[in-house]
Amino acid sequence: MASSSSFTLSQALLARGTSHHGFTQSSEHHRLALSTLSLPSFSGLKSTSSSTLRTTTSRRRLSTSQASRPIRAAAVETLETSTDASLVEKSVNTIRFLAVDAVEKANSGHPGLPMGCAPMGHILYDEVMRYNPKNPYWFNRDRFVLSAGHGCMLQYALLHLAGYDSVQEDDLKNFRQWGSKTPGHPENFETPGIEVTTGPLGQGMANAVGLALAEKHLAARYNKPDKEIVDHYTYVILGDGCQMEGIANEASSLAGHWGLGKLIAFYDDNHISIDGDTEIAFTENVDKRFEGLGWHVIWVKNGNTGYDDIRAAIKEAKAVTDKPTLIRVTTTIGFGSPNKANSYSVHGSALGAKEVDATRKNLGWPYEPFHVPEDIKKHWSRHVAEGAALEAEWNAKFAEYEKKYPEEAAEFKSISSGPLPAGWEKALPTYTPESPAEATRNLSQTCLNALAKTLPGLLGGSADLASSNMTLLKMFGDFQKDTPEERNVRFGVREHGMGAICNGIALHSPGLIPYCATFFVFTDYMRAAIRISALCEAGVIYVMTHDSIGLGEDGPTHQPIEHLASFRAMPNILMLRPADGNETAGAYKVAVANRKRPSILALSRQKLPHLAGTSIDGVEKGAYIISENSSGNKPDVILIGTGSELEIAAKAAEELRKGGKAVRVVSFVSWELFDEQSDAYKESVLPAAVSARVSIEAGSTFGWEKIVGSKGKAIGIDRFGASAPAGKIYKEFGITAEAVIAAAKEVC
């Protein structure tokens, strides 16, 4: 029996996950004996010949005559596998019909992929993967990502059969319905057992790369010759659509470069997309492309009934440890449907009652909708005991590790279970008005390097702009194929892939804190990944420099205008624009503390002074007063600034006060944080009775009426920028203290 301390780690992970999902379960599995552990044997399996791949010059698929005729169930001979062939076939068809029935009942969904990928899914979840259904958050579980998220009924069926409490029969019957645990695409925040949120094609592939990176990194840091506590695989299924999306190639390029040997991707090569056969738009040789990216490539010619070939491919993939593996599995979309298989009509809509009946007859399936035969239930039920035994075995190993390596164990627990080290925020620097002026991008680097010493899970990098974004951790080297323990990640010019990889890192372990960086304007290349960060509650820190026209001569292609407004409109994300050193430190304090909400830090290229009145604590309120000469919460006018324009507001206030005005200056670092404050606090900063308000920000004025009111003035830029020195641009666009003074005199 493992020690109580080791159980605490697994229980902490479970509690952390279930506290969000409202998911409860018995702890009975902790008492199951290790003797119940039973894993499938791969002895005697055939190995797919890799020489076949090298002679392939075009994409292979089932012949036209084979694809066009009705596809019927076939008996399959297995080679010394642990499961009877007929039971495997029955299990595969159970998966297929759970998907068919759920989509049919909802009259919405994608039955084709689950019907074609059911053999892959069965072999992975029933024979290969290591997991505990009663603790979906056990650290050393294998991870599975369905990048082709539209086929999510495949995964829901597998979770249901494997014994996950999150997907009961009623959940399958409520597929795509309000309040169900089976939404239309996989959502990690909704369904325990789902690792990442997928749907936008290709992003899941990049998430999987992030998960595999995290495994390799943590294994390099914490495994010992006598104790391996990090040892799991990442599996992903992706389709033709994922392969077409550029993000999948970005991430796959990095996976090959990094040599992520425990990443195994199954390419569902069914040659059908929504518009029809992929011959109309996608004819490249995917095998050769992935070989060029540094992957090991295997081709399973018959993914419909070639169970032994799939098993052999997995065995071969695991034997290749220095590079990731792509297993191209040629399948028939909608396998078993007599009239819709191998066509786009089965991709994204229910089969229809007549075709469901025909499919049941074709595959010899006599059962009612959603029925799981008793022998299939019994067969799959063993995963509860086996999963508990796997976790107990790992807990015992970790208990021994903890005794022998207490310091490493404590650090590992912080990363794997999530509590931040006590007092971590004390590492953040503070500044006074006498401190030398500095660009907030440089102040950001100071914060990152200070935090890296106290936050063991902090790692990240830039999209080929580290020396400009100022994101290097100076005490660490680069994460590379042969140095995976290091914490500087070189993403290259791959913004979209970078963001989605960081989502995978963040969702691997609660104490991993990934950050990534580029110029703020290039969030346009990665907005889809940032949106998924917000949706799936991945606390990625986005370090975005060159945040305004202040970058100067590079001109309008590089000068963000609408970006602040667009991210303020995005749910569950913090848009932070600090003005100086104290506010930059405050922004990092907020970003690190928010582990289920991503943060974007918009940072300046140009030097800025450290202002009197700014503070780390003030940032946590979103908006706060940095100076005023009024009393009774009745200023004549309130001047509001963000980032580099807070200095302008402060200068304007000084001049207005000389003229006898009572002026309050407010730093508005984060709209989202301010919205979360009490009404009393909001009133203390922006009293309703004071309608004379002026805001200044070197970006779009869109949305500022919410802050300044209908009688206030918003100074900003509602056109594209220009190429010139920063000072000249600010003057020409009217982002000046003089403009603020003039506006203030108009409103008060």
Side-chain angles (χ1 to χ4, degrees):
M1 180 64 72
S3 71
S4 60
S5 62
S6 64
F7 275 116
T8 300
L9 180 55
S10 285
Q11 289 170 341
L13 287 165
L14 179 59
R16 185 181 185 277
T18 58
S19 65
H20 174 72
H21 292 288
F23 170 61
T24 58
Q25 46 136 72
S26 168
S27 60
E28 180 68 23
H29 63 280
H30 288 305
R31 295 192 288 273
L32 292 169
L34 288 175
S35 61
T36 62
L37 178 62
S38 174
L39 293 177
S41 169
F42 287 103
S43 59
L45 294 180
K46 296 183 294 184
S47 176
T48 302
S49 173
S50 59
S51 63
T52 306
L53 297 172
R54 289 187 285 274
T55 62
T56 302
T57 57
S58 62
R59 300 181 73 246
R60 305 256 183 79
R61 58 185 55 126
L62 297 176
S63 68
T64 303
S65 60
Q66 181 183 3
S68 61
R69 66 175 179 261
I71 300 168
R72 300 188 178 276
V76 180
E77 289 188 13
T78 57
L79 300 177
E80 297 180 28
T81 58
S82 59
T83 305
D84 178 76
S86 62
L87 192 66
V88 171
E89 186 78 9
K90 195 172 184 180
S91 175
V92 168
N93 281 333
T94 301
I95 296 164
R96 287 183 176 126
F97 282 100
L98 286 176
V100 166
D101 295 339
V103 173
E104 194 67 25
K105 186 174 186 298
N107 194 29
S108 176
H110 301 74
L113 182 146
M115 296 170 75
C117 291
M120 282 184 265
H122 165 84
I123 290 170
L124 278 173
Y125 270 83
D126 189 52
E127 301 178 15
V128 176
M129 286 173 54
R130 295 159 57 91
Y131 57 89
N132 181 359
K134 300 305 178 184
N135 182 5
Y137 307 101
W138 169 43
F139 171 79
N140 207 41
R141 68 193 182 276
D142 288 333
R143 271 69 169 176
F144 173 79
V145 176
L146 184 61
S147 185
H150 55 273
C152 56
M153 266 311 306
L154 170 70
Q155 194 167 9
Y156 297 149
L158 292 166
L159 293 175
H160 176 64
L161 292 174
Y164 283 78
D165 293 339
S166 54
V167 184
Q168 303 293 326
E169 182 178 329
D170 283 346
D171 296 305
L172 299 178
K173 291 178 177 178
N174 286 300
F175 177 53
R176 289 188 163 218
Q177 304 307 302
W178 180 265
S180 119
K181 292 292 184 184
T182 50
H185 288 84
E187 297 173 357
N188 63 292
F189 55 90
E190 196 67 62
T191 314
I194 301 295
E195 299 290 350
V196 298
T197 295
T198 59
L201 294 177
Q203 285 211 48
M205 182 64 170
N207 297 157
V209 172
L211 291 167
L213 179 155
E215 191 278 342
K216 183 167 184 171
H217 175 68
L218 294 176
R221 286 177 64 180
Y222 296 107
N223 283 351
K224 303 294 182 181
D226 61 332
K227 288 287 181 295
E228 285 195 358
I229 57 170
V230 183
D231 179 21
H232 51 266
Y233 284 82
T234 301
Y235 300 95
V236 57
I237 291 179
L238 70 159
D240 288 303
C242 296
Q243 292 284 20
M244 294 184 219
E245 288 285 0
I247 185 175
N249 195 70
E250 290 182 15
S252 298
S253 175
L254 283 167
H257 172 73
W258 289 329
L260 299 180
K262 287 188 175 179
L263 173 62
I264 300 176
F266 294 81
Y267 166 30
D268 177 26
D269 174 34
N270 65 39
H271 70 86
I272 296 292
S273 61
I274 292 175
D275 279 354
D277 194 295
T278 54
E279 287 287 356
I280 63 176
F282 186 58
T283 55
E284 68 188 48
N285 189 322
V286 174
D287 295 350
K288 294 298 183 184
R289 173 160 63 89
F290 271 77
E291 286 177 350
L293 294 175
W295 287 59
H296 180 63
V297 180
I298 306 169
W299 179 31
V300 174
K301 299 178 182 179
N302 177 11
N304 299 326
T305 57
Y307 305 121
D308 286 333
D309 290 339
I310 295 172
R311 294 183 181 109
I314 296 170
K315 182 180 179 181
E316 181 181 332
K318 286 190 170 185
V320 178
T321 59
D322 63 340
K323 59 179 66 176
T325 295
L326 179 77
I327 303 175
R328 176 163 69 98
V329 186
T330 298
T331 67
T332 300
I333 191 171
F335 179 88
S337 170
N339 303 301
K340 294 189 176 183
N342 199 42
S343 71
Y344 68 88
S345 61
V346 77
H347 172 85
S349 59
L351 294 178
K354 289 184 179 180
E355 189 65 12
V356 170
D357 288 342
T359 304
R360 275 182 153 78
K361 292 176 182 177
N362 189 44
L363 292 177
W365 194 252
Y367 305 104
E368 294 296 314
F370 299 101
H371 180 75
V372 178
E374 286 302 317
D375 53 346
I376 299 302
K377 285 183 182 178
K378 181 179 178 181
H379 173 74
W380 278 85
S381 67
R382 76 188 195 284
H383 288 291
V384 172
E386 288 181 2
L390 287 169
E391 182 175 349
E393 181 183 31
W394 184 85
N395 283 336
K397 182 185 291 186
F398 183 76
E400 295 173 5
Y401 180 97
E402 191 171 22
K403 290 177 182 177
K404 192 169 184 180
Y405 307 105
E407 291 184 8
E408 291 93 331
E411 193 172 89
F412 175 80
K413 286 168 98 172
S414 172
I415 292 174
S416 61
S417 60
L420 297 172
W424 64 269
E425 71 280 359
K426 295 177 182 177
L428 290 166
T430 57
Y431 300 87
T432 69
E434 290 71 41
S435 301
E438 191 59 88
T440 52
R441 62 171 175 163
N442 293 334
L443 297 165
S444 165
Q445 185 173 48
T446 300
C447 290
L448 284 170
N449 279 272
L451 289 171
K453 297 175 183 177
T454 189
L455 295 175
L458 183 70
L459 75 163
S462 167
D464 197 47
L465 288 168
S467 60
S468 192
N469 298 142
M470 310 304 292
T471 50
L472 283 178
L473 302 179
K474 297 177 181 179
M475 69 288 290
F476 297 108
D478 291 347
F479 175 94
Q480 296 289 358
K481 181 177 182 177
D482 297 324
T483 55
E485 71 279 3
E486 300 292 354
R487 289 161 65 179
N488 286 301
V489 184
R490 304 285 190 168
F491 290 103
V493 189
R494 302 180 181 93
E495 292 89 354
H496 196 185
M498 173 176 71
I501 288 170
C502 283
N503 286 339
I505 296 171
L507 294 173
H508 181 279
S509 294
L512 285 177
I513 306 173
Y515 66 89
C516 60
T518 185
F519 291 172
F520 191 28
V521 76
F522 296 143
T523 53
D524 288 344
Y525 281 117
M526 58 191 303
R527 183 173 300 273
I530 296 174
R531 187 178 188 273
I532 292 294
S533 294
L535 176 62
C536 72
E537 302 177 348
V540 178
I541 301 175
Y542 292 95
V543 181
M544 298 298 151
T545 68
H546 297 62
D547 70 337
S548 74
I549 57 170
L551 65 87
E553 291 85 350
D554 276 342
T557 59
H558 284 50
Q559 293 166 352
I561 298 295
E562 73 280 14
H563 297 71
L564 288 165
S566 69
F567 286 115
R568 287 168 180 156
M570 187 177 286
N572 194 47
I573 194 165
L574 295 174
M575 182 67 249
L576 300 141
R577 191 167 185 245
D580 64 3
N582 288 327
E583 290 199 344
T584 301
Y588 272 103
K589 183 180 179 182
V590 166
V592 169
N594 277 268
R595 292 295 76 233
K596 290 194 174 184
R597 180 162 54 170
S599 301
I600 301 175
L601 278 62
L603 305 166
S604 74
R605 177 182 183 270
Q606 71 273 34
K607 289 184 176 182
L608 301 173
H610 299 278
L611 301 171
T614 60
S615 71
I616 291 175
D617 293 340
V619 173
E620 296 179 82
K621 300 288 189 181
Y624 66 105
I625 301 166
I626 69 163
S627 71
E628 71 173 326
N629 63 332
S630 64
S631 59
N633 203 25
K634 295 179 180 179
D636 295 323
V637 64
I638 301 173
L639 306 184
I640 305 166
T642 76
S644 48
E645 289 72 67
L646 184 61
E647 174 196 6
I648 294 174
K651 287 181 177 179
E654 291 175 6
E655 294 302 314
L656 288 167
R657 288 166 185 157
K658 290 176 183 178
K661 294 292 185 181
V663 184
R664 172 177 295 177
V665 180
V666 172
S667 175
F668 224 106
V669 189
S670 168
W671 291 21
E672 300 81 23
L673 290 173
F674 186 71
D675 284 344
E676 294 169 4
Q677 304 308 309
S678 67
D679 290 341
Y681 179 77
K682 293 176 186 175
E683 177 67 15
S684 73
V685 177
L686 298 177
V690 181
S691 61
R693 304 176 186 180
V694 178
S695 67
I696 182 166
E697 182 174 72
S700 171
T701 61
F702 184 82
W704 271 105
E705 186 175 341
K706 169 185 173 181
I707 308 299
V708 301
S710 60
K711 296 182 180 179
K713 294 280 187 180
I715 298 172
I717 306 170
D718 291 313
R719 50 154 286 186
F720 290 118
S723 177
K728 178 66 172 177
I729 302 174
Y730 267 78
K731 182 177 180 181
E732 291 296 329
F733 281 107
I735 311 298
T736 63
E738 290 76 17
V740 174
I741 292 168
K745 289 179 178 179
E746 284 186 46
V747 299
C748 72

